[in-house]
Amino acid sequence: MINGLSHLDRLEAESIFILRETVAEAARPVMLYSMGKDSAVMLHLAKKAFLPGSLPFPLLHVDTTWKFKLMYQERDEVAAEQGIELIVYRNPEALDKGINPFDHGPIHTDMWKTEGLRQALDTYGFDAAFGGARRDEEKSRAKERVFSFRDKNHRWDPKRQRPELWSLYNVRKNRGETMRVFPLSNWTELDVWQYILREGIKVVPLYFAAERPTVERNGLILVVDDERMRLQAGEKVVHRTVRFRTLGCYPLSGAVESKASSVEDIIAEMLTSPVSERQGRAIDRDSGSASMEKKKQEGYF
């Protein structure tokens, strides 16, 4: 405890300050909503930050059409809450061409996520976008500032980031710039789960262990979520007790074998886990160690 505040209290206060500071400076902010645990925590923090009023910005889901069914169910439930405005955006070119993770490889991520996000921000005129990325997730994300400025083409230059010494932020934008803002930058995966436990935040059931139909492919355990899943020669569907540490498009998200069926179980499991939560993200493996940084420079979150 420092000055009567716990570690989680200090993280919460910092995130709420970042949310309020952005709303005070941005002309048209938006919060990206991906239905994952980090999005759930970020949304919970935003509700706290602006009580008793409604959120002063909409939520934006850049949809690839390939999320898990339970993720879409969670999205629809959140959208039905009073005071929530949800925008769902799909890249019309990717939709028209039928871009998918089986036939198009990295192009799937580039068109649906990177280009889709840039289109959505331009279409609605958003100048600041909140995201749930954390520095502990991946090497290139560790380079991010809390306020990450992008040029008129939404490109990120890691060499031109503004200093944020002593948590002092310069959030004034130059002409044509936009901001990506990361209220959870200083949180860890463990912090997120401990906060979910403390606050009783609802998350997608995919994070909890259950018996699910799976196939093993390229070192990943993939869940067969719907009839679109293509089996390769020799693959057989096997029921395993698995859960997810990170969620994305279901043909690209690897599960982990686990018996953790509650938030308490997940926290206990994490305390002994030596591997990163993003080990199951196929998009991180596209082109070596610089893959994610290259995606971010092109506009990916």
Side-chain angles (χ1 to χ4, degrees), residues 240-275:
R240 296 180 173 92
T241 301
V242 298
R243 72 176 192 89
F244 290 87
R245 290 179 66 185
T246 181
L247 294 170
C249 296
Y250 81 80
L252 302 174
S253 299
V256 294
E257 294 193 85
S258 170
K259 295 181 180 179
S261 58
S262 68
V263 177
E264 292 88 346
D265 291 343
I266 289 173
I267 291 171
E269 183 179 86
M270 283 191 56
L271 291 173
T272 60
S273 176
V275 296

PDB file of all heavy atoms in Angstrom, residues 240-275:
ATOM      1  N   ARG A 240     -10.820 -31.639 -26.279  1.00  0.00           N
ATOM      2  CA  ARG A 240      -9.835 -31.368 -25.241  1.00  0.00           C
ATOM      3  C   ARG A 240     -10.406 -30.339 -24.267  1.00  0.00           C
ATOM      4  O   ARG A 240     -11.249 -29.520 -24.642  1.00  0.00           O
ATOM      5  CB  ARG A 240      -8.534 -30.806 -25.837  1.00  0.00           C
ATOM      6  CG  ARG A 240      -7.769 -31.732 -26.764  1.00  0.00           C
ATOM      7  CD  ARG A 240      -6.514 -31.004 -27.252  1.00  0.00           C
ATOM      8  NE  ARG A 240      -5.616 -31.857 -28.030  1.00  0.00           N
ATOM      9  CZ  ARG A 240      -5.645 -31.998 -29.344  1.00  0.00           C
ATOM     10  NH1 ARG A 240      -6.571 -31.351 -30.049  1.00  0.00           N
ATOM     11  NH2 ARG A 240      -4.794 -32.780 -29.969  1.00  0.00           N
ATOM     12  N   THR A 241      -9.905 -30.361 -23.043  1.00  0.00           N
ATOM     13  CA  THR A 241     -10.270 -29.330 -22.069  1.00  0.00           C
ATOM     14  C   THR A 241      -9.275 -28.193 -22.221  1.00  0.00           C
ATOM     15  O   THR A 241      -8.102 -28.321 -21.852  1.00  0.00           O
ATOM     16  CB  THR A 241     -10.256 -29.888 -20.642  1.00  0.00           C
ATOM     17  OG1 THR A 241     -11.188 -30.972 -20.552  1.00  0.00           O
ATOM     18  CG2 THR A 241     -10.655 -28.810 -19.636  1.00  0.00           C
ATOM     19  N   VAL A 242      -9.740 -27.106 -22.798  1.00  0.00           N
ATOM     20  CA  VAL A 242      -8.860 -25.989 -23.132  1.00  0.00           C
ATOM     21  C   VAL A 242      -9.511 -24.664 -22.756  1.00  0.00           C
ATOM     22  O   VAL A 242     -10.723 -24.575 -22.528  1.00  0.00           O
ATOM     23  CB  VAL A 242      -8.531 -25.966 -24.645  1.00  0.00           C
ATOM     24  CG1 VAL A 242      -7.796 -27.241 -25.062  1.00  0.00           C
ATOM     25  CG2 VAL A 242      -9.795 -25.776 -25.477  1.00  0.00           C
ATOM     26  N   ARG A 243      -8.686 -23.623 -22.737  1.00  0.00           N
ATOM     27  CA  ARG A 243      -9.159 -22.259 -22.586  1.00  0.00           C
ATOM     28  C   ARG A 243      -8.243 -21.346 -23.410  1.00  0.00           C
ATOM     29  O   ARG A 243      -7.222 -21.793 -23.955  1.00  0.00           O
ATOM     30  CB  ARG A 243      -9.160 -21.823 -21.116  1.00  0.00           C
ATOM     31  CG  ARG A 243      -7.794 -21.581 -20.504  1.00  0.00           C
ATOM     32  CD  ARG A 243      -7.915 -21.069 -19.080  1.00  0.00           C
ATOM     33  NE  ARG A 243      -6.641 -20.569 -18.562  1.00  0.00           N
ATOM     34  CZ  ARG A 243      -6.222 -19.319 -18.687  1.00  0.00           C
ATOM     35  NH1 ARG A 243      -6.963 -18.434 -19.336  1.00  0.00           N
ATOM     36  NH2 ARG A 243      -5.056 -18.935 -18.195  1.00  0.00           N
ATOM     37  N   PHE A 244      -8.595 -20.068 -23.487  1.00  0.00           N
ATOM     38  CA  PHE A 244      -7.797 -19.105 -24.242  1.00  0.00           C
ATOM     39  C   PHE A 244      -7.224 -18.058 -23.304  1.00  0.00           C
ATOM     40  O   PHE A 244      -7.885 -17.609 -22.374  1.00  0.00           O
ATOM     41  CB  PHE A 244      -8.649 -18.412 -25.311  1.00  0.00           C
ATOM     42  CG  PHE A 244      -9.049 -19.318 -26.434  1.00  0.00           C
ATOM     43  CD1 PHE A 244     -10.194 -20.098 -26.338  1.00  0.00           C
ATOM     44  CD2 PHE A 244      -8.278 -19.413 -27.585  1.00  0.00           C
ATOM     45  CE1 PHE A 244     -10.562 -20.949 -27.362  1.00  0.00           C
ATOM     46  CE2 PHE A 244      -8.635 -20.263 -28.614  1.00  0.00           C
ATOM     47  CZ  PHE A 244      -9.780 -21.039 -28.504  1.00  0.00           C
ATOM     48  N   ARG A 245      -5.980 -17.650 -23.575  1.00  0.00           N
ATOM     49  CA  ARG A 245      -5.385 -16.520 -22.857  1.00  0.00           C
ATOM     50  C   ARG A 245      -5.533 -15.237 -23.663  1.00  0.00           C
ATOM     51  O   ARG A 245      -5.490 -14.138 -23.094  1.00  0.00           O
ATOM     52  CB  ARG A 245      -3.905 -16.804 -22.577  1.00  0.00           C
ATOM     53  CG  ARG A 245      -3.696 -17.897 -21.549  1.00  0.00           C
ATOM     54  CD  ARG A 245      -2.215 -18.171 -21.329  1.00  0.00           C
ATOM     55  NE  ARG A 245      -1.533 -17.034 -20.714  1.00  0.00           N
ATOM     56  CZ  ARG A 245      -0.212 -16.989 -20.515  1.00  0.00           C
ATOM     57  NH1 ARG A 245       0.544 -18.007 -20.886  1.00  0.00           N
ATOM     58  NH2 ARG A 245       0.335 -15.923 -19.965  1.00  0.00           N
ATOM     59  N   THR A 246      -5.659 -15.355 -24.968  1.00  0.00           N
ATOM     60  CA  THR A 246      -5.850 -14.210 -25.838  1.00  0.00           C
ATOM     61  C   THR A 246      -6.787 -14.628 -26.959  1.00  0.00           C
ATOM     62  O   THR A 246      -6.791 -15.794 -27.370  1.00  0.00           O
ATOM     63  CB  THR A 246      -4.507 -13.699 -26.388  1.00  0.00           C
ATOM     64  OG1 THR A 246      -4.727 -12.565 -27.229  1.00  0.00           O
ATOM     65  CG2 THR A 246      -3.785 -14.774 -27.178  1.00  0.00           C
ATOM     66  N   LEU A 247      -7.608 -13.701 -27.439  1.00  0.00           N
ATOM     67  CA  LEU A 247      -8.645 -14.026 -28.412  1.00  0.00           C
ATOM     68  C   LEU A 247      -8.511 -13.180 -29.668  1.00  0.00           C
ATOM     69  O   LEU A 247      -8.188 -11.993 -29.598  1.00  0.00           O
ATOM     70  CB  LEU A 247     -10.035 -13.805 -27.801  1.00  0.00           C
ATOM     71  CG  LEU A 247     -10.433 -14.722 -26.657  1.00  0.00           C
ATOM     72  CD1 LEU A 247     -11.718 -14.222 -26.013  1.00  0.00           C
ATOM     73  CD2 LEU A 247     -10.597 -16.154 -27.139  1.00  0.00           C
ATOM     74  N   GLY A 248      -8.778 -13.798 -30.805  1.00  0.00           N
ATOM     75  CA  GLY A 248      -8.808 -13.102 -32.085  1.00  0.00           C
ATOM     76  C   GLY A 248      -9.729 -13.850 -33.016  1.00  0.00           C
ATOM     77  O   GLY A 248     -10.756 -14.387 -32.593  1.00  0.00           O
ATOM     78  N   CYS A 249      -9.373 -13.925 -34.291  1.00  0.00           N
ATOM     79  CA  CYS A 249     -10.135 -14.739 -35.233  1.00  0.00           C
ATOM     80  C   CYS A 249      -9.931 -16.210 -34.870  1.00  0.00           C
ATOM     81  O   CYS A 249      -8.801 -16.634 -34.611  1.00  0.00           O
ATOM     82  CB  CYS A 249      -9.665 -14.474 -36.661  1.00  0.00           C
ATOM     83  SG  CYS A 249      -9.951 -12.783 -37.212  1.00  0.00           S
ATOM     84  N   TYR A 250     -11.003 -16.979 -34.850  1.00  0.00           N
ATOM     85  CA  TYR A 250     -10.875 -18.321 -34.269  1.00  0.00           C
ATOM     86  C   TYR A 250      -9.930 -19.255 -35.028  1.00  0.00           C
ATOM     87  O   TYR A 250      -9.270 -20.094 -34.400  1.00  0.00           O
ATOM     88  CB  TYR A 250     -12.260 -18.967 -34.059  1.00  0.00           C
ATOM     89  CG  TYR A 250     -12.907 -19.592 -35.252  1.00  0.00           C
ATOM     90  CD1 TYR A 250     -12.546 -20.860 -35.691  1.00  0.00           C
ATOM     91  CD2 TYR A 250     -13.906 -18.931 -35.955  1.00  0.00           C
ATOM     92  CE1 TYR A 250     -13.146 -21.451 -36.794  1.00  0.00           C
ATOM     93  CE2 TYR A 250     -14.520 -19.513 -37.051  1.00  0.00           C
ATOM     94  CZ  TYR A 250     -14.136 -20.768 -37.478  1.00  0.00           C
ATOM     95  OH  TYR A 250     -14.729 -21.333 -38.566  1.00  0.00           O
ATOM     96  N   PRO A 251      -9.769 -19.156 -36.385  1.00  0.00           N
ATOM     97  CA  PRO A 251      -8.798 -20.044 -37.024  1.00  0.00           C
ATOM     98  C   PRO A 251      -7.343 -19.639 -36.759  1.00  0.00           C
ATOM     99  O   PRO A 251      -6.426 -20.345 -37.169  1.00  0.00           O
ATOM    100  CB  PRO A 251      -9.121 -19.904 -38.518  1.00  0.00           C
ATOM    101  CG  PRO A 251     -10.477 -19.295 -38.580  1.00  0.00           C
ATOM    102  CD  PRO A 251     -10.546 -18.399 -37.385  1.00  0.00           C
ATOM    103  N   LEU A 252      -7.129 -18.499 -36.084  1.00  0.00           N
ATOM    104  CA  LEU A 252      -5.779 -17.998 -35.844  1.00  0.00           C
ATOM    105  C   LEU A 252      -5.443 -17.894 -34.358  1.00  0.00           C
ATOM    106  O   LEU A 252      -4.373 -17.408 -34.009  1.00  0.00           O
ATOM    107  CB  LEU A 252      -5.622 -16.606 -36.484  1.00  0.00           C
ATOM    108  CG  LEU A 252      -5.872 -16.522 -37.990  1.00  0.00           C
ATOM    109  CD1 LEU A 252      -5.834 -15.070 -38.451  1.00  0.00           C
ATOM    110  CD2 LEU A 252      -4.859 -17.363 -38.761  1.00  0.00           C
ATOM    111  N   SER A 253      -6.358 -18.343 -33.493  1.00  0.00           N
ATOM    112  CA  SER A 253      -6.162 -18.208 -32.048  1.00  0.00           C
ATOM    113  C   SER A 253      -5.951 -19.568 -31.403  1.00  0.00           C
ATOM    114  O   SER A 253      -6.852 -20.408 -31.411  1.00  0.00           O
ATOM    115  CB  SER A 253      -7.385 -17.523 -31.410  1.00  0.00           C
ATOM    116  OG  SER A 253      -7.565 -16.233 -31.942  1.00  0.00           O
ATOM    117  N   GLY A 254      -4.776 -19.766 -30.850  1.00  0.00           N
ATOM    118  CA  GLY A 254      -4.461 -21.043 -30.225  1.00  0.00           C
ATOM    119  C   GLY A 254      -4.926 -21.106 -28.781  1.00  0.00           C
ATOM    120  O   GLY A 254      -4.755 -20.149 -28.019  1.00  0.00           O
ATOM    121  N   ALA A 255      -5.518 -22.232 -28.419  1.00  0.00           N
ATOM    122  CA  ALA A 255      -5.951 -22.468 -27.043  1.00  0.00           C
ATOM    123  C   ALA A 255      -4.825 -23.148 -26.269  1.00  0.00           C
ATOM    124  O   ALA A 255      -3.833 -23.609 -26.842  1.00  0.00           O
ATOM    125  CB  ALA A 255      -7.202 -23.336 -27.026  1.00  0.00           C
ATOM    126  N   VAL A 256      -4.984 -23.192 -24.951  1.00  0.00           N
ATOM    127  CA  VAL A 256      -4.031 -23.915 -24.094  1.00  0.00           C
ATOM    128  C   VAL A 256      -4.804 -24.946 -23.285  1.00  0.00           C
ATOM    129  O   VAL A 256      -5.930 -24.693 -22.865  1.00  0.00           O
ATOM    130  CB  VAL A 256      -3.273 -22.957 -23.145  1.00  0.00           C
ATOM    131  CG1 VAL A 256      -2.385 -22.018 -23.921  1.00  0.00           C
ATOM    132  CG2 VAL A 256      -4.230 -22.174 -22.251  1.00  0.00           C
ATOM    133  N   GLU A 257      -4.196 -26.110 -23.110  1.00  0.00           N
ATOM    134  CA  GLU A 257      -4.835 -27.118 -22.271  1.00  0.00           C
ATOM    135  C   GLU A 257      -4.775 -26.647 -20.824  1.00  0.00           C
ATOM    136  O   GLU A 257      -3.729 -26.218 -20.336  1.00  0.00           O
ATOM    137  CB  GLU A 257      -4.145 -28.465 -22.455  1.00  0.00           C
ATOM    138  CG  GLU A 257      -4.335 -29.027 -23.865  1.00  0.00           C
ATOM    139  CD  GLU A 257      -3.936 -30.480 -23.988  1.00  0.00           C
ATOM    140  OE1 GLU A 257      -4.778 -31.349 -23.682  1.00  0.00           O
ATOM    141  OE2 GLU A 257      -2.784 -30.734 -24.386  1.00  0.00           O
ATOM    142  N   SER A 258      -5.908 -26.708 -20.161  1.00  0.00           N
ATOM    143  CA  SER A 258      -6.005 -26.120 -18.823  1.00  0.00           C
ATOM    144  C   SER A 258      -7.217 -26.670 -18.097  1.00  0.00           C
ATOM    145  O   SER A 258      -8.170 -27.146 -18.723  1.00  0.00           O
ATOM    146  CB  SER A 258      -6.127 -24.593 -18.950  1.00  0.00           C
ATOM    147  OG  SER A 258      -6.448 -23.997 -17.709  1.00  0.00           O
ATOM    148  N   LYS A 259      -7.174 -26.581 -16.777  1.00  0.00           N
ATOM    149  CA  LYS A 259      -8.324 -26.945 -15.946  1.00  0.00           C
ATOM    150  C   LYS A 259      -8.866 -25.724 -15.204  1.00  0.00           C
ATOM    151  O   LYS A 259      -9.723 -25.858 -14.330  1.00  0.00           O
ATOM    152  CB  LYS A 259      -7.929 -28.033 -14.955  1.00  0.00           C
ATOM    153  CG  LYS A 259      -7.544 -29.361 -15.611  1.00  0.00           C
ATOM    154  CD  LYS A 259      -7.192 -30.419 -14.577  1.00  0.00           C
ATOM    155  CE  LYS A 259      -6.821 -31.742 -15.239  1.00  0.00           C
ATOM    156  NZ  LYS A 259      -6.453 -32.779 -14.236  1.00  0.00           N
ATOM    157  N   ALA A 260      -8.369 -24.539 -15.567  1.00  0.00           N
ATOM    158  CA  ALA A 260      -8.763 -23.307 -14.869  1.00  0.00           C
ATOM    159  C   ALA A 260     -10.162 -22.876 -15.303  1.00  0.00           C
ATOM    160  O   ALA A 260     -10.343 -22.354 -16.395  1.00  0.00           O
ATOM    161  CB  ALA A 260      -7.764 -22.196 -15.147  1.00  0.00           C
ATOM    162  N   SER A 261     -11.144 -23.095 -14.449  1.00  0.00           N
ATOM    163  CA  SER A 261     -12.538 -22.824 -14.806  1.00  0.00           C
ATOM    164  C   SER A 261     -13.127 -21.626 -14.066  1.00  0.00           C
ATOM    165  O   SER A 261     -14.322 -21.377 -14.140  1.00  0.00           O
ATOM    166  CB  SER A 261     -13.396 -24.063 -14.533  1.00  0.00           C
ATOM    167  OG  SER A 261     -13.307 -24.451 -13.172  1.00  0.00           O
ATOM    168  N   SER A 262     -12.293 -20.881 -13.349  1.00  0.00           N
ATOM    169  CA  SER A 262     -12.756 -19.687 -12.642  1.00  0.00           C
ATOM    170  C   SER A 262     -11.645 -18.649 -12.694  1.00  0.00           C
ATOM    171  O   SER A 262     -10.486 -18.955 -13.029  1.00  0.00           O
ATOM    172  CB  SER A 262     -13.082 -20.018 -11.182  1.00  0.00           C
ATOM    173  OG  SER A 262     -11.903 -20.344 -10.466  1.00  0.00           O
ATOM    174  N   VAL A 263     -11.970 -17.402 -12.346  1.00  0.00           N
ATOM    175  CA  VAL A 263     -10.953 -16.354 -12.326  1.00  0.00           C
ATOM    176  C   VAL A 263      -9.867 -16.683 -11.310  1.00  0.00           C
ATOM    177  O   VAL A 263      -8.671 -16.495 -11.563  1.00  0.00           O
ATOM    178  CB  VAL A 263     -11.595 -14.982 -12.012  1.00  0.00           C
ATOM    179  CG1 VAL A 263     -10.523 -13.900 -11.917  1.00  0.00           C
ATOM    180  CG2 VAL A 263     -12.619 -14.608 -13.078  1.00  0.00           C
ATOM    181  N   GLU A 264     -10.266 -17.217 -10.143  1.00  0.00           N
ATOM    182  CA  GLU A 264      -9.281 -17.612  -9.137  1.00  0.00           C
ATOM    183  C   GLU A 264      -8.332 -18.676  -9.685  1.00  0.00           C
ATOM    184  O   GLU A 264      -7.114 -18.621  -9.438  1.00  0.00           O
ATOM    185  CB  GLU A 264      -9.990 -18.138  -7.876  1.00  0.00           C
ATOM    186  CG  GLU A 264     -10.767 -17.086  -7.106  1.00  0.00           C
ATOM    187  CD  GLU A 264     -12.203 -16.929  -7.592  1.00  0.00           C
ATOM    188  OE1 GLU A 264     -12.542 -17.437  -8.694  1.00  0.00           O
ATOM    189  OE2 GLU A 264     -12.985 -16.292  -6.866  1.00  0.00           O
ATOM    190  N   ASP A 265      -8.880 -19.642 -10.426  1.00  0.00           N
ATOM    191  CA  ASP A 265      -8.043 -20.691 -11.023  1.00  0.00           C
ATOM    192  C   ASP A 265      -7.059 -20.104 -12.037  1.00  0.00           C
ATOM    193  O   ASP A 265      -5.897 -20.523 -12.122  1.00  0.00           O
ATOM    194  CB  ASP A 265      -8.919 -21.732 -11.723  1.00  0.00           C
ATOM    195  CG  ASP A 265      -9.734 -22.576 -10.763  1.00  0.00           C
ATOM    196  OD1 ASP A 265      -9.410 -22.590  -9.562  1.00  0.00           O
ATOM    197  OD2 ASP A 265     -10.708 -23.214 -11.220  1.00  0.00           O
ATOM    198  N   ILE A 266      -7.538 -19.143 -12.842  1.00  0.00           N
ATOM    199  CA  ILE A 266      -6.678 -18.525 -13.857  1.00  0.00           C
ATOM    200  C   ILE A 266      -5.513 -17.798 -13.197  1.00  0.00           C
ATOM    201  O   ILE A 266      -4.360 -17.909 -13.633  1.00  0.00           O
ATOM    202  CB  ILE A 266      -7.496 -17.567 -14.742  1.00  0.00           C
ATOM    203  CG1 ILE A 266      -8.433 -18.367 -15.650  1.00  0.00           C
ATOM    204  CG2 ILE A 266      -6.577 -16.675 -15.584  1.00  0.00           C
ATOM    205  CD1 ILE A 266      -9.416 -17.522 -16.440  1.00  0.00           C
ATOM    206  N   ILE A 267      -5.789 -17.051 -12.143  1.00  0.00           N
ATOM    207  CA  ILE A 267      -4.731 -16.328 -11.432  1.00  0.00           C
ATOM    208  C   ILE A 267      -3.709 -17.308 -10.855  1.00  0.00           C
ATOM    209  O   ILE A 267      -2.492 -17.106 -10.983  1.00  0.00           O
ATOM    210  CB  ILE A 267      -5.341 -15.449 -10.321  1.00  0.00           C
ATOM    211  CG1 ILE A 267      -6.142 -14.295 -10.955  1.00  0.00           C
ATOM    212  CG2 ILE A 267      -4.243 -14.904  -9.404  1.00  0.00           C
ATOM    213  CD1 ILE A 267      -6.962 -13.495  -9.961  1.00  0.00           C
ATOM    214  N   ALA A 268      -4.177 -18.385 -10.258  1.00  0.00           N
ATOM    215  CA  ALA A 268      -3.262 -19.394  -9.706  1.00  0.00           C
ATOM    216  C   ALA A 268      -2.424 -20.026 -10.812  1.00  0.00           C
ATOM    217  O   ALA A 268      -1.218 -20.259 -10.636  1.00  0.00           O
ATOM    218  CB  ALA A 268      -4.067 -20.461  -8.963  1.00  0.00           C
ATOM    219  N   GLU A 269      -3.038 -20.284 -11.958  1.00  0.00           N
ATOM    220  CA  GLU A 269      -2.319 -20.884 -13.086  1.00  0.00           C
ATOM    221  C   GLU A 269      -1.262 -19.931 -13.624  1.00  0.00           C
ATOM    222  O   GLU A 269      -0.143 -20.340 -13.950  1.00  0.00           O
ATOM    223  CB  GLU A 269      -3.324 -21.247 -14.184  1.00  0.00           C
ATOM    224  CG  GLU A 269      -2.719 -21.953 -15.385  1.00  0.00           C
ATOM    225  CD  GLU A 269      -3.787 -22.302 -16.412  1.00  0.00           C
ATOM    226  OE1 GLU A 269      -4.094 -21.433 -17.264  1.00  0.00           O
ATOM    227  OE2 GLU A 269      -4.317 -23.421 -16.366  1.00  0.00           O
ATOM    228  N   MET A 270      -1.606 -18.645 -13.703  1.00  0.00           N
ATOM    229  CA  MET A 270      -0.676 -17.658 -14.232  1.00  0.00           C
ATOM    230  C   MET A 270       0.572 -17.509 -13.385  1.00  0.00           C
ATOM    231  O   MET A 270       1.660 -17.223 -13.901  1.00  0.00           O
ATOM    232  CB  MET A 270      -1.371 -16.299 -14.337  1.00  0.00           C
ATOM    233  CG  MET A 270      -2.301 -16.164 -15.508  1.00  0.00           C
ATOM    234  SD  MET A 270      -2.761 -14.447 -15.670  1.00  0.00           S
ATOM    235  CE  MET A 270      -1.157 -13.703 -15.807  1.00  0.00           C
ATOM    236  N   LEU A 271       0.434 -17.681 -12.103  1.00  0.00           N
ATOM    237  CA  LEU A 271       1.574 -17.503 -11.197  1.00  0.00           C
ATOM    238  C   LEU A 271       2.674 -18.525 -11.445  1.00  0.00           C
ATOM    239  O   LEU A 271       3.820 -18.331 -11.011  1.00  0.00           O
ATOM    240  CB  LEU A 271       1.100 -17.578  -9.742  1.00  0.00           C
ATOM    241  CG  LEU A 271       0.219 -16.400  -9.284  1.00  0.00           C
ATOM    242  CD1 LEU A 271      -0.343 -16.658  -7.895  1.00  0.00           C
ATOM    243  CD2 LEU A 271       0.994 -15.095  -9.313  1.00  0.00           C
ATOM    244  N   THR A 272       2.352 -19.596 -12.150  1.00  0.00           N
ATOM    245  CA  THR A 272       3.360 -20.627 -12.447  1.00  0.00           C
ATOM    246  C   THR A 272       3.641 -20.761 -13.935  1.00  0.00           C
ATOM    247  O   THR A 272       4.423 -21.615 -14.341  1.00  0.00           O
ATOM    248  CB  THR A 272       2.901 -21.997 -11.907  1.00  0.00           C
ATOM    249  OG1 THR A 272       1.654 -22.367 -12.542  1.00  0.00           O
ATOM    250  CG2 THR A 272       2.694 -21.943 -10.406  1.00  0.00           C
ATOM    251  N   SER A 273       3.012 -19.909 -14.772  1.00  0.00           N
ATOM    252  CA  SER A 273       3.179 -20.030 -16.223  1.00  0.00           C
ATOM    253  C   SER A 273       4.411 -19.271 -16.702  1.00  0.00           C
ATOM    254  O   SER A 273       4.549 -18.074 -16.421  1.00  0.00           O
ATOM    255  CB  SER A 273       1.942 -19.494 -16.941  1.00  0.00           C
ATOM    256  OG  SER A 273       2.143 -19.523 -18.345  1.00  0.00           O
ATOM    257  N   PRO A 274       5.325 -19.922 -17.450  1.00  0.00           N
ATOM    258  CA  PRO A 274       6.535 -19.255 -17.922  1.00  0.00           C
ATOM    259  C   PRO A 274       6.406 -18.677 -19.331  1.00  0.00           C
ATOM    260  O   PRO A 274       7.381 -18.139 -19.859  1.00  0.00           O
ATOM    261  CB  PRO A 274       7.564 -20.390 -17.906  1.00  0.00           C
ATOM    262  CG  PRO A 274       6.749 -21.595 -18.286  1.00  0.00           C
ATOM    263  CD  PRO A 274       5.360 -21.378 -17.704  1.00  0.00           C
ATOM    264  N   VAL A 275       5.237 -18.789 -19.960  1.00  0.00           N
ATOM    265  CA  VAL A 275       5.117 -18.403 -21.369  1.00  0.00           C
ATOM    266  C   VAL A 275       4.209 -17.197 -21.532  1.00  0.00           C
ATOM    267  O   VAL A 275       3.336 -16.919 -20.711  1.00  0.00           O
ATOM    268  CB  VAL A 275       4.575 -19.577 -22.225  1.00  0.00           C
ATOM    269  CG1 VAL A 275       5.562 -20.719 -22.215  1.00  0.00           C
ATOM    270  CG2 VAL A 275       3.215 -20.032 -21.719  1.00  0.00           C
TER     271      VAL A 275
END
